[in-house]
Amino acid sequence: MSVLSSLAEHPWAYPAFQVVHLVGMSLLLGNLVLLELRVLGLGSTLPIHDLARLSLAVVIAGFTLLLISGLLMFATQALELLANRVFLWKIMLIMLAAMNAAAFHARGSLDRRDRIARLQMIASMLIWLAVLACGRAIAYV
């Protein structure tokens, strides 16, 4: 029996992956929202570069948990997920979030904190909320 089929058949494996996935999403979203709110002008007494350094480190840890648990969950039911349009939307939204983050950092938006930076942060919040909604909806479509 392969490791993947063992994981797919074990009664606690998938729920455990879901818990790890939820922890990863909490770390990612919780820390992104703090940084996004700071860029939007809230908490102006907090040094933005110190906050960014801390929050982005936790975001990376959260994303790592999401990636590992997500790949393991995907591997246990790849064909079903590839046929699920909500799952495909979730993956496209994650790629869009990555492109938005890359654009934010490439243009130095953390230092500029101009209108474009604020729009990028609002877009980030909306994209990640859509990812979260898609993740919840996958089981119901």
Side-chain angles (χ1 to χ4, degrees), residues 4-19:
L4 289 179
S5 61
S6 295
L7 290 175
E9 293 174 11
H10 193 282
W12 291 101
Y14 203 85
F17 297 150
Q18 288 179 320
V19 169

Side-chain angles (χ1 to χ4, degrees), residues 34 37-48 51 113:
L34 283 176
L37 291 174
R38 178 61 184 88
V39 170
L40 291 172
L42 298 170
S44 59
T45 58
L46 297 172
I48 195 162
L51 179 63
R113 285 170 273 167

